[in-house]
Amino acid sequence: MVARSQLFGILATGYILALYATSGVMRDVLNTLKMKVGDVFPLLAVLVCILGLLGCAYWYRVALEELRTGRVLTLLLVLVGYGFALIWLRIPEERIHLLQYGVLAWLVTEALREKLASYRLHLLSVGIVIIAGIGDELVQWVRPNRVGDLRDVGINMVAAVLAQALLAIVLSIPRPVSVER
């Protein structure tokens, strides 16, 4: 049986490889979705990701009063960061980076959570996601139909930091103690 951290490590590695493998076709897929659905698709995808991460708090069955004032203010700051990122990023495939690297941050965090704690977990997770983002751009630089862009590396970094901040808030909420019968 594969341990939980190993499973998430495998999922994170597979996800990174999928990002690299699909970099040649993702622009076409997103442009097709934009033509069919409009510019709403990437925005909805990012909002679903944010709501999914916030849903983790509900999944842990934590009452809203468990969120201390500092956590609420930090959460609002992170959500404002996502809002500014969505305004700043006009191109759909740039907006989708917020979702792609947010999911990767979650997978990496879950893979490392049993081994590391506190700020080390979050710093290493952000670092791994940033390195994966740099690797993604390197793959694009060698593809004949793509162009690597330092701006995308910056977008990947912003996505990693925002997602990790959101995860840090959700993971810092104490889980209720279950009573065994």
Side-chain angles (χ1 to χ4, degrees), residues 85-179:
L86 289 171
I87 291 168
W88 174 53
L89 301 171
R90 300 271 184 218
I91 303 169
E93 59 259 21
E94 288 179 346
R95 286 182 178 169
I96 212 74
H97 283 253
L98 294 174
L99 175 62
Q100 288 175 321
Y101 288 91
V103 169
L104 181 57
W106 172 69
L107 291 172
V108 170
T109 299
E110 289 299 319
L112 297 173
R113 212 164 83 168
E114 293 175 4
K115 296 175 182 75
L116 297 170
S118 186
Y119 70 94
R120 288 184 180 151
L121 167 67
H122 301 298
L123 286 177
L124 185 58
S125 295
V126 166
I128 290 170
V129 173
I130 288 172
I131 289 169
I134 291 169
D136 187 20
E137 292 308 308
L138 290 174
V139 167
Q140 290 180 40
W141 273 323
V142 298
R143 285 184 179 266
N145 65 334
R146 293 299 305 265
V147 176
D149 188 3
L150 286 177
R151 180 172 190 230
D152 283 352
V153 172
I155 294 167
N156 299 344
M157 289 177 171
V158 168
V161 169
L162 286 173
Q164 198 62 45
L166 198 54
L167 285 165
I169 293 166
V170 170
L171 293 176
S172 71
I173 299 170
R175 290 175 61 176
V177 179
S178 63
V179 178

